[in-house]
């Protein structure tokens, strides 16, 4: 499992470098939203096949579903709060400094 995590982090890091250096053609960048959506939908479809084929998951679906809903709600709520805090303290502060420099 540790090797996979390192591989995933390395791929993310490599993608960040490629994006930062503008090494991707502009037509690919303009289609990035579509590419991401298609990849996400493919991943969800494959996960659905894997989950549907596992009899243990299906038999304990309601117990796992209840826990998944609780985890999801808290994850979404805390993510939104974190983004709002970052926006308030970092982005808004940068905009205020920019307004002061214009005077």
């Amino acid at each position: 499992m540790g090797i996979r995590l390192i591989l995933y982090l390395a791929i993310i890091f490599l993608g960040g470098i490629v994006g930062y250096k503008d090494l991707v053609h502009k037509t690919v960048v303009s289609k990035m939203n579509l590419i991401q959506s298609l990849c996400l939908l493919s991943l969800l479809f494959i996960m659905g096949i894997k989950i549907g084929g596992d009899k243990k998951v299906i038999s304990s679906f309601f117990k796992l579903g209840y826990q998944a809903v609780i985890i999801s709600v808290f994850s979404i709520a805390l993510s939104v709060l974190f983004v709002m805090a970052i926006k308030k303290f970092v982005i808004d502060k940068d905009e205020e400094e920019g307004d002061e420099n214009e005077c």
Side-chain angles (χ1 to χ4, degrees):
M1 180 162 160
I3 301 286
R4 284 187 183 177
L5 179 61
I6 292 170
L7 176 65
Y8 297 155
L9 292 174
I11 290 171
I12 290 172
F13 183 73
L14 180 65
I17 291 172
V18 168
Y20 181 74
K21 300 275 186 178
D22 285 331
L23 298 175
V24 180
H25 197 271
K26 293 192 185 302
T27 56
V28 175
V29 172
S30 67
K31 305 275 187 209
M32 196 67 70
N33 193 18
L34 176 64
I35 294 169
Q36 286 176 334
S37 294
L38 290 174
C39 289
L40 178 62
L41 292 172
S42 299
L43 177 64
L44 290 171
F45 179 72
I46 292 169
M47 287 173 60
I49 291 171
K50 181 122 175 133
I51 290 170
D54 191 349
K55 302 300 180 199
K56 286 189 264 184
V57 172
I58 297 299
S59 66
S60 62
F61 184 73
F62 289 109
K63 180 181 178 190
L64 292 175
Y66 174 72
Q67 293 171 348
V69 166
I70 290 173
I71 292 170
S72 298
V73 166
F74 279 103
S75 296
I76 291 168
L78 292 175
S79 295
V80 168
L81 290 174
F82 184 70
V83 168
M84 289 171 55
I86 292 294
K87 183 181 181 305
K88 182 177 180 180
F89 293 114
V90 175
I91 296 173
D92 290 345
K93 191 177 286 187
D94 287 344
E95 289 175 358
E96 288 174 9
E97 290 175 4
D99 292 341
E100 292 173 3
N101 291 336
E102 289 178 4
C103 295

